[in-house]
Amino acid sequence: MIQGSDNKRPQIEYPTEWEYKLIGRDVDQLLKAVEEVLPGLEYQVKLSNVSRNEKYYSLNVLVTVTSEVLRDIIFQKFSSHPDVKFVI
């Protein structure tokens, strides 16, 4: 919940489920990236969207994170993975 317009970050209570949207050119490579970034963690993956010309695919990845630090590390690992073009 965001309150007011004083530019404060929302308070997030951990552990919490966090969803990352990954966009890339190959579904299999995106799935492999998820396995590489989240070893030992339980997660759910759903195909989210396919571009009209099937050039890009997106996946929603739901994972429980225990802290803001872990949430940010996962985001950075996805962002720097060569098979992931965008992370939202």
Coordinates of all heavy atoms in Angstrom, one line a residue:
M1 N 0.8 -1.2 0.0 CA 0.0 0.0 0.0 C 0.9 1.2 0.0 O 1.8 1.4 0.8 CB -0.9 0.0 1.2 CG -1.7 1.3 1.3 SD -3.0 1.4 2.6 CE -2.5 0.4 3.9
I2 N 0.6 2.2 -0.9 CA 1.3 3.4 -1.0 C 0.4 4.5 -0.4 O -0.7 4.7 -0.8 CB 1.7 3.8 -2.4 CG1 2.6 2.7 -3.0 CG2 2.4 5.1 -2.5 CD1 2.9 2.8 -4.5
Q3 N 1.0 5.3 0.6 CA 0.2 6.3 1.2 C 0.8 7.7 0.9 O 2.0 7.8 1.0 CB 0.2 6.1 2.7 CG -0.5 4.8 3.1 CD -0.5 4.6 4.6 OE1 0.1 5.3 5.3 NE2 -1.3 3.6 5.0
G4 N 0.0 8.6 0.6 CA 0.5 10.0 0.3 C 1.4 10.1 -0.9 O 1.6 9.2 -1.6
S5 N 1.9 11.3 -1.1 CA 2.7 11.5 -2.2 C 4.1 12.1 -1.8 O 4.7 12.9 -2.4 CB 2.1 12.5 -3.2 OG 1.9 13.8 -2.5
D6 N 4.6 11.5 -0.6 CA 5.9 12.0 -0.1 C 7.0 11.2 -0.6 O 8.1 11.2 0.0 CB 5.8 12.1 1.4 CG 5.4 10.7 2.0 OD1 5.3 9.8 1.3 OD2 5.2 10.7 3.2
N7 N 6.9 10.5 -1.7 CA 7.9 9.7 -2.4 C 8.6 8.6 -1.5 O 9.7 8.2 -1.7 CB 9.0 10.6 -2.9 CG 8.5 11.5 -4.0 OD1 7.6 11.0 -4.8 ND2 9.0 12.7 -4.2
K8 N 7.9 8.2 -0.4 CA 8.4 7.1 0.4 C 8.1 5.8 -0.3 O 7.1 5.6 -1.0 CB 7.7 7.1 1.8 CG 8.2 8.2 2.6 CD 7.7 8.0 4.0 CE 8.2 9.1 4.9 NZ 7.7 9.0 6.3
R9 N 9.1 4.9 -0.2 CA 8.9 3.5 -0.7 C 7.8 2.8 0.0 O 7.7 3.0 1.2 CB 10.2 2.8 -0.7 CG 11.3 3.5 -1.6 CD 12.6 2.9 -1.4 NE 12.6 1.5 -1.7 CZ 13.7 0.7 -1.6 NH1 14.8 1.2 -1.2 NH2 13.6 -0.6 -1.9
P10 N 7.1 1.9 -0.7 CA 6.1 1.1 0.1 C 6.8 0.2 1.0 O 7.9 -0.3 0.8 CB 5.4 0.4 -1.0 CG 6.3 0.4 -2.2 CD 7.1 1.6 -2.1
Q11 N 6.1 -0.1 2.1 CA 6.6 -1.0 3.1 C 6.2 -2.4 2.7 O 5.1 -2.7 2.4 CB 6.0 -0.8 4.5 CG 6.5 0.5 5.1 CD 8.0 0.5 5.4 OE1 8.8 0.9 4.6 NE2 8.3 0.0 6.6
I12 N 7.2 -3.3 2.5 CA 7.0 -4.7 2.1 C 7.4 -5.6 3.3 O 8.5 -5.5 3.8 CB 7.8 -5.1 0.9 CG1 7.5 -4.1 -0.3 CG2 7.6 -6.5 0.5 CD1 8.4 -4.3 -1.5
E13 N 6.5 -6.5 3.7 CA 6.8 -7.4 4.8 C 7.4 -8.7 4.2 O 6.8 -9.2 3.2 CB 5.5 -7.7 5.6 CG 5.1 -6.5 6.4 CD 3.9 -6.8 7.2 OE1 3.8 -7.9 7.7 OE2 3.1 -5.8 7.5
Y14 N 8.5 -9.1 4.7 CA 9.1 -10.4 4.3 C 8.9 -11.5 5.3 O 8.9 -11.2 6.5 CB 10.6 -10.1 4.0 CG 10.8 -9.1 2.9 CD1 11.0 -7.8 3.1 CD2 10.9 -9.6 1.6 CE1 11.1 -6.9 2.1 CE2 11.0 -8.7 0.5 CZ 11.2 -7.3 0.8 OH 11.4 -6.4 -0.2
P15 N 8.9 -12.7 4.8 CA 8.9 -13.2 3.5 C 7.7 -12.8 2.7 O 6.6 -12.7 3.3 CB 9.1 -14.7 3.6 CG 8.5 -15.0 4.9 CD 8.7 -13.8 5.8
T16 N 7.8 -12.7 1.4 CA 6.7 -12.4 0.5 C 6.9 -13.0 -0.8 O 8.0 -13.3 -1.2 CB 6.5 -10.9 0.4 OG1 5.3 -10.6 -0.3 CG2 7.6 -10.2 -0.4
E17 N 5.8 -13.3 -1.5 CA 5.9 -13.8 -2.9 C 6.1 -12.6 -3.8 O 5.5 -11.6 -3.7 CB 4.6 -14.5 -3.3 CG 4.4 -15.8 -2.6 CD 3.2 -16.6 -3.1 OE1 2.2 -16.0 -3.6 OE2 3.3 -17.9 -3.1
W18 N 7.1 -12.8 -4.7 CA 7.4 -11.7 -5.6 C 7.4 -12.2 -7.0 O 7.9 -13.3 -7.3 CB 8.8 -11.2 -5.3 CG 9.1 -9.8 -5.9 CD1 9.8 -9.6 -7.0 CD2 8.7 -8.6 -5.4 NE1 9.8 -8.2 -7.3 CE2 9.1 -7.6 -6.3 CE3 7.9 -8.2 -4.3 CZ2 8.8 -6.2 -6.1 CZ3 7.7 -6.9 -4.1 CH2 8.1 -5.9 -5.0
E19 N 6.9 -11.4 -7.9 CA 6.8 -11.9 -9.3 C 7.7 -11.1 -10.2 O 7.7 -9.8 -10.1 CB 5.4 -11.8 -9.8 CG 5.2 -12.4 -11.2 CD 3.7 -12.4 -11.6 OE1 3.1 -11.4 -11.9 OE2 3.1 -13.5 -11.5
Y20 N 8.5 -11.8 -11.0 CA 9.3 -11.2 -12.0 C 8.8 -11.5 -13.4 O 8.4 -12.7 -13.6 CB 10.8 -11.7 -11.9 CG 11.4 -11.5 -10.6 CD1 11.3 -12.4 -9.5 CD2 12.2 -10.4 -10.3 CE1 11.9 -12.2 -8.3 CE2 12.8 -10.1 -9.1 CZ 12.6 -11.1 -8.1 OH 13.2 -10.9 -6.9
K21 N 8.8 -10.6 -14.3 CA 8.4 -10.9 -15.6 C 9.7 -10.8 -16.4 O 10.4 -9.8 -16.4 CB 7.4 -9.8 -16.2 CG 7.0 -10.2 -17.7 CD 6.0 -9.2 -18.2 CE 4.7 -9.3 -17.6 NZ 3.9 -10.5 -18.1
L22 N 10.0 -11.9 -17.1 CA 11.2 -12.1 -17.9 C 10.8 -12.0 -19.4 O 9.8 -12.7 -19.8 CB 11.9 -13.4 -17.6 CG 12.2 -13.7 -16.2 CD1 13.0 -15.0 -16.1 CD2 13.0 -12.6 -15.5
I23 N 11.5 -11.3 -20.2 CA 11.3 -11.2 -21.6 C 12.6 -11.6 -22.4 O 13.7 -11.2 -22.0 CB 10.9 -9.8 -22.0 CG1 9.6 -9.4 -21.3 CG2 10.7 -9.7 -23.5 CD1 9.2 -8.0 -21.4
G24 N 12.4 -12.5 -23.3 CA 13.5 -13.0 -24.1 C 13.1 -13.6 -25.4 O 11.9 -13.6 -25.7
R25 N 14.0 -14.0 -26.2 CA 13.7 -14.5 -27.6 C 13.4 -16.0 -27.6 O 12.9 -16.5 -28.6 CB 14.9 -14.2 -28.5 CG 15.1 -12.7 -28.7 CD 16.2 -12.5 -29.7 NE 16.4 -11.1 -29.9 CZ 16.0 -10.4 -30.9 NH1 15.3 -11.0 -31.9 NH2 16.2 -9.1 -31.0
D26 N 13.8 -16.8 -26.6 CA 13.6 -18.2 -26.6 C 13.1 -18.7 -25.3 O 13.7 -18.5 -24.2 CB 15.0 -18.9 -26.9 CG 14.9 -20.4 -27.1 OD1 14.6 -21.1 -26.1 OD2 15.2 -20.9 -28.2
V27 N 11.9 -19.4 -25.3 CA 11.3 -19.9 -24.1 C 12.2 -20.8 -23.3 O 12.3 -20.7 -22.1 CB 9.9 -20.5 -24.4 CG1 9.3 -21.2 -23.1 CG2 8.9 -19.5 -24.9
D28 N 12.8 -21.8 -24.1 CA 13.6 -22.8 -23.4 C 14.8 -22.1 -22.7 O 15.2 -22.5 -21.6 CB 14.1 -23.8 -24.4 CG 12.9 -24.7 -24.9 OD1 12.0 -24.9 -24.1 OD2 13.0 -25.2 -26.1
Q29 N 15.4 -21.1 -23.3 CA 16.5 -20.4 -22.7 C 16.1 -19.6 -21.5 O 16.8 -19.5 -20.5 CB 17.2 -19.5 -23.8 CG 17.9 -20.3 -24.9 CD 19.0 -21.2 -24.4 OE1 19.6 -21.0 -23.3 NE2 19.3 -22.3 -25.1
L30 N 14.9 -19.0 -21.6 CA 14.3 -18.3 -20.4 C 14.1 -19.3 -19.2 O 14.5 -19.0 -18.1 CB 13.0 -17.6 -20.8 CG 13.1 -16.4 -21.6 CD1 11.7 -15.9 -22.0 CD2 13.9 -15.3 -20.9
L31 N 13.6 -20.5 -19.5 CA 13.4 -21.5 -18.5 C 14.7 -21.9 -17.9 O 14.8 -22.1 -16.7 CB 12.6 -22.7 -19.0 CG 11.2 -22.4 -19.4 CD1 10.6 -23.6 -20.1 CD2 10.3 -22.1 -18.1
K32 N 15.7 -22.1 -18.7 CA 17.1 -22.4 -18.3 C 17.6 -21.3 -17.4 O 18.2 -21.6 -16.3 CB 18.0 -22.7 -19.4 CG 19.3 -23.1 -19.1 CD 20.2 -23.4 -20.3 CE 21.6 -23.7 -19.9 NZ 22.5 -23.8 -21.1
A33 N 17.4 -20.1 -17.7 CA 17.9 -18.9 -16.9 C 17.2 -18.9 -15.6 O 17.9 -18.7 -14.5 CB 17.5 -17.6 -17.7
V34 N 15.9 -19.3 -15.5 CA 15.2 -19.4 -14.2 C 15.9 -20.4 -13.3 O 16.2 -20.2 -12.1 CB 13.7 -19.6 -14.4 CG1 13.1 -19.9 -13.1 CG2 13.0 -18.5 -15.1
E35 N 16.2 -21.6 -13.9 CA 16.8 -22.6 -13.2 C 18.2 -22.2 -12.6 O 18.6 -22.5 -11.5 CB 17.0 -23.9 -14.0 CG 15.7 -24.6 -14.3 CD 15.8 -25.7 -15.3 OE1 17.0 -26.1 -15.7 OE2 14.8 -26.3 -15.7
E36 N 18.9 -21.5 -13.5 CA 20.3 -21.0 -13.1 C 20.3 -20.0 -12.0 O 21.1 -19.9 -11.1 CB 21.0 -20.5 -14.3 CG 21.4 -21.6 -15.3 CD 21.9 -21.0 -16.6 OE1 22.1 -19.8 -16.8 OE2 22.2 -21.9 -17.5
V37 N 19.3 -19.1 -12.1 CA 19.2 -18.0 -11.1 C 18.6 -18.4 -9.8 O 18.9 -17.8 -8.7 CB 18.4 -16.8 -11.7 CG1 18.1 -15.7 -10.7 CG2 19.2 -16.2 -12.9
L38 N 17.7 -19.4 -9.8 CA 17.0 -19.8 -8.6 C 17.2 -21.2 -8.1 O 16.3 -21.9 -7.8 CB 15.4 -19.6 -8.8 CG 15.0 -18.2 -9.2 CD1 13.5 -18.2 -9.5 CD2 15.3 -17.2 -8.1
P39 N 18.5 -21.6 -8.1 CA 18.7 -23.0 -7.7 C 18.4 -23.2 -6.2 O 18.7 -22.4 -5.4 CB 20.2 -23.2 -7.9 CG 20.8 -21.8 -7.7 CD 19.7 -20.9 -8.3
G40 N 17.6 -24.3 -6.0 CA 17.3 -24.6 -4.6 C 16.0 -23.9 -4.1 O 15.6 -24.1 -3.0
L41 N 15.5 -22.9 -4.8 CA 14.3 -22.2 -4.4 C 13.1 -22.7 -5.1 O 13.2 -23.2 -6.3 CB 14.5 -20.7 -4.7 CG 15.6 -19.9 -4.0 CD1 15.6 -18.5 -4.5 CD2 15.3 -19.9 -2.5
E42 N 12.0 -22.7 -4.4 CA 10.7 -23.1 -5.1 C 10.2 -21.9 -5.8 O 10.2 -20.8 -5.3 CB 9.8 -23.6 -4.0 CG 10.2 -25.0 -3.4 CD 9.1 -25.5 -2.5 OE1 7.9 -25.3 -2.8 OE2 9.4 -26.3 -1.6
Y43 N 9.7 -22.2 -7.0 CA 9.1 -21.1 -7.8 C 8.1 -21.7 -8.7 O 8.0 -22.9 -8.9 CB 10.2 -20.4 -8.6 CG 11.0 -21.3 -9.5 CD1 10.6 -21.6 -10.7 CD2 12.2 -21.8 -9.0 CE1 11.4 -22.5 -11.6 CE2 13.0 -22.6 -9.8 CZ 12.6 -22.9 -11.1 OH 13.3 -23.8 -11.9
Q44 N 7.3 -20.8 -9.3 CA 6.3 -21.1 -10.3 C 6.5 -20.3 -11.5 O 6.9 -19.1 -11.4 CB 4.8 -20.8 -9.8 CG 4.4 -21.6 -8.6 CD 3.1 -21.2 -8.1 OE1 2.4 -20.4 -8.7 NE2 2.7 -21.8 -6.9
V45 N 6.4 -20.9 -12.7 CA 6.6 -20.2 -13.9 C 5.4 -20.4 -14.8 O 4.9 -21.5 -14.9 CB 7.9 -20.8 -14.7 CG1 8.0 -20.1 -16.0 CG2 9.1 -20.7 -13.8
K46 N 5.0 -19.3 -15.4 CA 3.8 -19.3 -16.3 C 4.2 -18.5 -17.6 O 4.8 -17.4 -17.5 CB 2.6 -18.7 -15.7 CG 2.0 -19.5 -14.6 CD 0.7 -18.9 -14.1 CE 0.2 -19.7 -12.9 NZ -1.0 -19.1 -12.4
L47 N 3.9 -19.1 -18.7 CA 4.1 -18.3 -20.0 C 3.1 -17.2 -19.9 O 1.9 -17.4 -19.7 CB 3.8 -19.2 -21.2 CG 4.0 -18.5 -22.6 CD1 5.4 -18.1 -22.8 CD2 3.5 -19.5 -23.7
S48 N 3.6 -16.0 -20.2 CA 2.8 -14.8 -20.0 C 2.3 -14.3 -21.4 O 1.1 -14.1 -21.6 CB 3.6 -13.7 -19.3 OG 2.9 -12.5 -19.3
N49 N 3.2 -14.1 -22.3 CA 2.8 -13.6 -23.6 C 3.8 -14.0 -24.7 O 4.9 -14.3 -24.4 CB 2.8 -12.0 -23.5 CG 1.9 -11.4 -24.5 OD1 1.2 -12.1 -25.3 ND2 1.9 -10.1 -24.6
V50 N 3.3 -13.9 -25.9 CA 4.2 -14.1 -27.1 C 3.9 -13.0 -28.0 O 2.8 -12.6 -28.3 CB 3.8 -15.5 -27.8 CG1 4.7 -15.7 -29.0 CG2 3.9 -16.6 -26.8
S51 N 5.0 -12.4 -28.6 CA 4.8 -11.3 -29.5 C 4.1 -11.8 -30.8 O 4.2 -13.0 -31.1 CB 6.1 -10.6 -29.8 OG 7.0 -11.4 -30.5
R52 N 3.5 -10.9 -31.5 CA 2.8 -11.2 -32.7 C 3.6 -12.1 -33.7 O 3.1 -13.0 -34.3 CB 2.2 -10.0 -33.4 CG 1.3 -10.2 -34.5 CD 0.7 -9.0 -35.1 NE 0.4 -7.9 -34.1 CZ 0.5 -6.6 -34.3 NH1 0.8 -6.2 -35.5 NH2 0.2 -5.8 -33.4
N53 N 4.8 -11.7 -33.9 CA 5.7 -12.4 -34.8 C 6.5 -13.5 -34.2 O 7.4 -14.1 -34.8 CB 6.6 -11.5 -35.6 CG 7.5 -10.7 -34.7 OD1 7.5 -10.9 -33.4 ND2 8.2 -9.7 -35.2
E54 N 6.2 -13.8 -32.9 CA 6.8 -14.8 -32.1 C 8.3 -14.6 -32.0 O 9.1 -15.5 -31.9 CB 6.6 -16.2 -32.7 CG 5.1 -16.6 -32.6 CD 4.8 -18.0 -33.1 OE1 5.8 -18.8 -33.3 OE2 3.7 -18.4 -33.2
K55 N 8.7 -13.3 -32.0 CA 10.1 -12.9 -31.8 C 10.5 -12.9 -30.3 O 11.6 -13.2 -29.9 CB 10.4 -11.6 -32.5 CG 11.8 -11.2 -32.5 CD 12.0 -9.9 -33.3 CE 13.5 -9.5 -33.4 NZ 13.7 -8.3 -34.2
Y56 N 9.5 -12.5 -29.5 CA 9.8 -12.4 -28.0 C 8.7 -13.1 -27.2 O 7.6 -13.2 -27.7 CB 9.7 -10.9 -27.6 CG 10.9 -10.1 -28.1 CD1 10.7 -9.3 -29.2 CD2 12.1 -10.1 -27.5 CE1 11.8 -8.5 -29.7 CE2 13.2 -9.4 -27.9 CZ 13.0 -8.6 -29.0 OH 14.1 -7.9 -29.5
Y57 N 9.2 -13.7 -26.1 CA 8.3 -14.4 -25.2 C 8.5 -13.8 -23.8 O 9.6 -13.3 -23.5 CB 8.7 -15.9 -25.2 CG 8.6 -16.6 -26.5 CD1 9.7 -16.5 -27.4 CD2 7.5 -17.2 -26.9 CE1 9.6 -17.1 -28.6 CE2 7.4 -17.9 -28.1 CZ 8.4 -17.8 -29.0 OH 8.3 -18.4 -30.2
S58 N 7.4 -13.9 -23.0 CA 7.6 -13.5 -21.6 C 7.1 -14.5 -20.7 O 6.1 -15.2 -21.0 CB 6.8 -12.1 -21.4 OG 5.5 -12.2 -21.6
L59 N 7.7 -14.6 -19.6 CA 7.4 -15.5 -18.5 C 7.1 -14.8 -17.2 O 7.8 -13.8 -16.9 CB 8.5 -16.5 -18.2 CG 9.0 -17.5 -19.3 CD1 10.1 -18.3 -18.8 CD2 7.8 -18.4 -19.8
N60 N 6.2 -15.2 -16.4 CA 6.0 -14.7 -15.1 C 6.6 -15.7 -14.1 O 6.3 -16.9 -14.2 CB 4.5 -14.5 -14.7 CG 3.9 -13.3 -15.5 OD1 4.6 -12.4 -15.9 ND2 2.6 -13.4 -15.7
V61 N 7.5 -15.3 -13.3 CA 8.2 -16.2 -12.3 C 7.8 -15.7 -10.9 O 8.1 -14.6 -10.5 CB 9.7 -16.1 -12.5 CG1 10.4 -17.1 -11.5 CG2 10.1 -16.5 -13.9
L62 N 7.1 -16.6 -10.2 CA 6.7 -16.3 -8.8 C 7.6 -17.0 -7.8 O 7.7 -18.2 -7.9 CB 5.3 -16.7 -8.6 CG 4.6 -16.3 -7.3 CD1 4.5 -14.8 -7.2 CD2 3.3 -17.0 -7.2
V63 N 8.2 -16.3 -6.9 CA 9.2 -16.9 -6.0 C 9.0 -16.2 -4.6 O 8.7 -15.0 -4.6 CB 10.6 -16.8 -6.5 CG1 11.1 -15.4 -6.6 CG2 11.6 -17.6 -5.6
T64 N 9.2 -17.0 -3.5 CA 9.1 -16.4 -2.2 C 10.5 -15.8 -1.9 O 11.5 -16.5 -2.0 CB 8.7 -17.4 -1.1 OG1 7.4 -17.9 -1.5 CG2 8.7 -16.8 0.2
V65 N 10.5 -14.5 -1.6 CA 11.8 -13.9 -1.2 C 11.7 -13.5 0.3 O 10.7 -13.2 0.8 CB 12.1 -12.6 -2.0 CG1 12.4 -13.0 -3.4 CG2 11.0 -11.6 -1.9
T66 N 12.9 -13.7 1.0 CA 12.9 -13.5 2.4 C 13.4 -12.1 2.9 O 13.3 -11.8 4.0 CB 13.8 -14.6 3.1 OG1 15.1 -14.5 2.4 CG2 13.2 -16.0 2.9
S67 N 13.9 -11.3 1.9 CA 14.4 -10.0 2.2 C 14.5 -9.2 1.0 O 14.5 -9.7 -0.2 CB 15.8 -10.1 2.9 OG 16.7 -10.5 1.9
E68 N 14.6 -7.9 1.2 CA 14.8 -6.9 0.1 C 16.1 -7.2 -0.7 O 16.2 -7.2 -1.9 CB 14.8 -5.5 0.5 CG 15.0 -4.5 -0.6 CD 14.9 -3.1 -0.1 OE1 14.8 -2.8 1.1 OE2 14.9 -2.2 -1.0
V69 N 17.2 -7.6 0.1 CA 18.5 -7.9 -0.5 C 18.3 -9.1 -1.4 O 18.8 -9.0 -2.6 CB 19.5 -8.2 0.6 CG1 20.8 -8.8 0.1 CG2 19.8 -7.0 1.5
L70 N 17.7 -10.2 -1.0 CA 17.5 -11.3 -1.9 C 16.7 -10.9 -3.1 O 17.0 -11.3 -4.2 CB 16.8 -12.5 -1.1 CG 16.5 -13.7 -2.0 CD1 17.8 -14.3 -2.5 CD2 15.8 -14.8 -1.1
R71 N 15.6 -10.2 -2.9 CA 14.8 -9.7 -4.0 C 15.6 -9.0 -5.1 O 15.5 -9.2 -6.3 CB 13.7 -8.8 -3.5 CG 12.6 -8.5 -4.5 CD 11.6 -7.5 -4.0 NE 12.3 -6.2 -4.2 CZ 12.1 -5.1 -3.5 NH1 11.3 -5.2 -2.4 NH2 12.7 -4.0 -3.7
D72 N 16.5 -8.1 -4.6 CA 17.3 -7.3 -5.5 C 18.4 -8.1 -6.2 O 18.7 -7.9 -7.3 CB 18.0 -6.1 -4.7 CG 17.0 -5.1 -4.3 OD1 15.9 -5.0 -4.9 OD2 17.3 -4.2 -3.5
I73 N 19.0 -9.1 -5.4 CA 20.0 -10.0 -6.0 C 19.4 -10.8 -7.2 O 20.0 -10.9 -8.2 CB 20.6 -10.9 -4.9 CG1 21.5 -10.1 -4.0 CG2 21.3 -12.1 -5.6 CD1 22.0 -10.9 -2.8
I74 N 18.2 -11.3 -6.9 CA 17.5 -12.1 -8.0 C 17.3 -11.2 -9.2 O 17.5 -11.6 -10.3 CB 16.2 -12.7 -7.5 CG1 16.5 -13.8 -6.4 CG2 15.4 -13.3 -8.6 CD1 15.3 -14.3 -5.7
F75 N 16.8 -10.0 -9.0 CA 16.6 -9.1 -10.1 C 17.9 -8.8 -10.9 O 17.9 -8.9 -12.1 CB 16.0 -7.8 -9.6 CG 15.7 -6.8 -10.7 CD1 14.4 -6.8 -11.3 CD2 16.6 -5.8 -11.1 CE1 14.2 -5.9 -12.3 CE2 16.3 -5.0 -12.1 CZ 15.1 -5.0 -12.7
Q76 N 18.9 -8.6 -10.2 CA 20.2 -8.3 -10.8 C 20.7 -9.5 -11.6 O 21.3 -9.4 -12.7 CB 21.3 -7.9 -9.8 CG 21.0 -6.5 -9.2 CD 20.9 -5.4 -10.3 OE1 21.7 -5.4 -11.3 NE2 20.0 -4.5 -10.1
K77 N 20.5 -10.7 -11.0 CA 21.0 -11.9 -11.7 C 20.2 -12.1 -13.0 O 20.7 -12.5 -14.1 CB 20.9 -13.1 -10.8 CG 22.0 -13.2 -9.8 CD 21.9 -14.5 -9.0 CE 23.1 -14.6 -8.1 NZ 23.2 -15.8 -7.4
F78 N 18.9 -11.9 -12.9 CA 18.0 -12.0 -14.1 C 18.5 -11.0 -15.2 O 18.6 -11.2 -16.3 CB 16.5 -11.9 -13.8 CG 15.9 -13.1 -13.3 CD1 15.0 -13.1 -12.3 CD2 16.1 -14.4 -13.9 CE1 14.4 -14.2 -11.8 CE2 15.5 -15.5 -13.5 CZ 14.6 -15.5 -12.4
S79 N 18.7 -9.7 -14.7 CA 19.0 -8.6 -15.6 C 20.3 -8.9 -16.3 O 20.5 -8.5 -17.5 CB 19.1 -7.3 -14.8 OG 17.9 -7.0 -14.2
S80 N 21.3 -9.5 -15.6 CA 22.6 -9.7 -16.3 C 22.7 -11.1 -17.0 O 23.7 -11.3 -17.7 CB 23.7 -9.7 -15.2 OG 23.5 -10.7 -14.3
H81 N 21.7 -11.9 -17.0 CA 21.7 -13.1 -17.7 C 21.6 -12.9 -19.2 O 20.8 -12.1 -19.7 CB 20.5 -14.0 -17.3 CG 20.7 -15.5 -17.7 ND1 20.5 -15.9 -18.9 CD2 21.2 -16.5 -16.9 CE1 20.8 -17.2 -19.0 NE2 21.2 -17.6 -17.8
P82 N 22.5 -13.5 -20.0 CA 22.5 -13.2 -21.4 C 21.2 -13.6 -22.2 O 21.0 -13.0 -23.3 CB 23.7 -14.0 -21.9 CG 23.9 -15.1 -20.9 CD 23.5 -14.5 -19.6
D83 N 20.4 -14.5 -21.7 CA 19.2 -14.9 -22.4 C 18.0 -14.1 -22.0 O 16.9 -14.3 -22.6 CB 19.0 -16.4 -22.2 CG 20.1 -17.3 -22.8 OD1 20.4 -17.0 -24.0 OD2 20.6 -18.2 -22.1
V84 N 18.1 -13.2 -21.0 CA 17.0 -12.4 -20.6 C 17.2 -11.0 -21.1 O 18.2 -10.3 -20.8 CB 16.9 -12.4 -19.0 CG1 15.8 -11.5 -18.6 CG2 16.7 -13.8 -18.5
K85 N 16.3 -10.5 -22.0 CA 16.4 -9.2 -22.6 C 15.9 -8.1 -21.6 O 16.5 -7.0 -21.6 CB 15.7 -9.1 -23.9 CG 16.2 -10.1 -24.9 CD 17.6 -9.9 -25.3 CE 18.1 -11.0 -26.3 NZ 19.5 -11.1 -26.3
F86 N 14.8 -8.4 -20.9 CA 14.3 -7.4 -20.0 C 13.7 -8.1 -18.8 O 13.2 -9.3 -18.9 CB 13.1 -6.6 -20.6 CG 13.5 -5.9 -21.9 CD1 13.2 -6.4 -23.1 CD2 14.1 -4.6 -21.8 CE1 13.6 -5.7 -24.2 CE2 14.5 -3.9 -22.9 CZ 14.2 -4.5 -24.1
V87 N 13.8 -7.4 -17.6 CA 13.1 -7.9 -16.4 C 12.2 -6.8 -15.9 O 12.7 -5.7 -15.8 CB 14.2 -8.3 -15.3 CG1 13.5 -8.8 -14.0 CG2 15.2 -9.2 -15.8
I88 N 11.0 -7.2 -15.5 CA 10.1 -6.2 -15.0 C 9.6 -6.7 -13.6 O 9.4 -7.9 -13.4 CB 8.9 -6.0 -15.9 CG1 9.4 -5.5 -17.3 CG2 7.9 -5.0 -15.3 CD1 8.3 -5.5 -18.3

